[in-house]
Amino acid sequence: MIASLLAAAILRACGGGAEEPVQSASQSGSSLNLAFEPNAPAAADNTATDGFNWFNYRRQQIGLAALARSPALDQAAQGHADYQKINGVISHEQTPGAPGYTGAELGERITAAGYTFTSNRYAYGEVISATGSQSGFAAAEDLITAIYHRFVIFEPTFFQAGSGSASVSGGYTYFTTNFTADGLGNGLGAGAFITYPHASQQNMPTTFMSDREIPDPVADRNAVGFPISVHADITATVLVQEFSVRPRGGAPLDVKLLMRANDADTPSSGAAIVPLDPLAAGTEYEVRFSGTINDVPVLRTWSFSTR
């Protein structure tokens, strides 16, 4: 089985917000089991469609709007999946003159596909993977698990997306999704944020293999706990005062905090903690987050359970 590769996640905002690239690359294997997922979407047996639907399934679980599917973004994503298949690469960049070339970077590719921003305040992002499985559900779940990619997928201001996939017989299936926000005023609003896992979420994995994401979120070890994250609008600044997790009735776990102040790969509009050891199975965990979002004080406590 070929391990999945999750290449550099890109998130950019233009006009009304500083440009903030988030980049990562990783290898991972999905632990997705649909038996654990209530009301999961029915499989269409199409990698691109299933991956797109899985992103919407998870977004709606945490209180975000479903993404509208854009034919132009589908075309851009499909073109990039084809480019990677033809050239045997996994990258967000294309080389002019190479077979299947549609644009050097994401902005050029979505423009070439006919997508037009009507506002001068907009954002776009891209996540890609290459895996030995043709399951779009598994590819999408891998990308959500990888914390730097999760910041792109759960960006609250994104409201359109498109997906594409291309498979090599006996080799990789390349999966690409492009996201856009035409205008940055339709997100959660001042001081608002969402979390993942969400409150009372069940059957969460216990382990994240940190070495499979590049840059490695926890460079000094591999098997760590499942990342816990908060996400505000792309124009927001999240500052953390406390971000902790503990088994119910137990002591706080040792974690690595990811926020823009100490990690250049985390956007200023989000933050995460990664437990330094795998979580225990069949256990309820309590999370506490306090800080500010654009200087608005926030405090939230919630819990989730592992499978």
Side-chain angles (χ1 to χ4, degrees):
M1 177 67 69
I2 303 173
S4 64
L5 303 170
L6 312 181
I10 296 177
L11 171 65
R12 289 191 170 92
C14 300
E19 183 177 31
E20 296 182 350
V22 177
Q23 299 187 354
S24 64
S26 82
Q27 297 182 325
S28 74
S30 176
S31 60
L32 179 64
N33 185 335
L34 291 181
F36 289 123
E37 306 301 335
N39 303 312
D45 296 324
N46 176 284
T47 304
T49 295
D50 285 342
F52 182 94
N53 289 343
W54 196 261
F55 287 150
N56 268 344
Y57 170 65
R58 289 297 195 203
R59 283 176 62 94
Q60 290 177 294
Q61 277 187 323
I62 60 178
L64 295 177
L67 300 160
R69 195 160 186 180
S70 160
L73 294 177
D74 273 348
Q75 180 179 328
Q78 185 62 53
H80 193 55
D82 290 338
Y83 174 89
Q84 293 175 97
K85 172 187 174 180
I86 293 167
N87 293 281
V89 298
I90 178 166
S91 171
H92 289 282
E93 298 179 351
Q94 295 186 12
T95 301
Y101 176 81
T102 58
E105 56 88 23
L106 176 58
E108 294 178 10
R109 294 195 294 272
I110 62 178
T111 298
Y115 190 91
T116 302
F117 291 103
T118 61
S119 171
N120 62 0
R121 302 179 72 249
Y122 59 88
Y124 56 85
E126 179 174 83
V127 295
I128 59 180
S129 69
T131 177
S133 166
Q134 294 187 21
S135 168
F137 292 160
E141 187 73 358
D142 280 348
L143 287 161
I144 291 169
T145 299
I147 186 58
Y148 295 131
H149 296 78
R150 189 189 302 172
F151 286 127
V152 179
I153 297 162
F154 290 163
E155 166 51 48
T157 60
F158 286 152
F159 69 93
Q160 286 189 307
S163 296
S165 66
S167 298
V168 177
S169 179
Y172 284 131
T173 291
Y174 296 89
F175 171 64
T176 300
T177 300
N178 297 154
F179 305 81
T180 60
D182 189 7
L184 302 182
N186 296 319
L188 298 172
F193 64 98
I194 52 89
T195 72
Y196 195 79
H198 63 74
S200 301
Q201 190 162 355
Q202 306 291 309
N203 301 312
M204 297 306 298
T206 61
T207 306
F208 170 52
M209 305 308 287
S210 176
D211 287 355
R212 293 172 175 172
E213 186 160 20
I214 303 171
D216 187 341
V218 188
D220 62 346
R221 61 189 67 199
N222 184 18
V224 294
F226 190 82
I228 303 162
S229 54
V230 299
H231 308 256
D233 294 343
I234 195 172
T235 53
T237 297
V238 174
L239 298 179
V240 178
Q241 295 174 344
E242 179 185 354
F243 202 168
S244 63
V245 60
R246 69 180 72 204
R248 179 170 291 279
L253 303 181
D254 291 332
V255 300
K256 180 171 183 180
L257 171 65
L258 302 178
M259 58 180 291
R260 191 56 177 263
N262 68 359
D263 180 44
D265 296 297
T266 297
S268 62
S269 58
I273 51 173
V274 185
L276 295 183
D277 294 298
L279 302 178
T283 301
E284 183 178 7
Y285 284 90
E286 300 172 318
V287 185
R288 179 181 175 91
F289 173 79
S290 67
T292 62
I293 298 177
N294 283 353
D295 298 324
V296 177
V298 294
L299 170 64
R300 185 174 300 175
T301 59
W302 72 99
S303 64
F304 68 90
S305 299
T306 55
R307 65 181 66 146

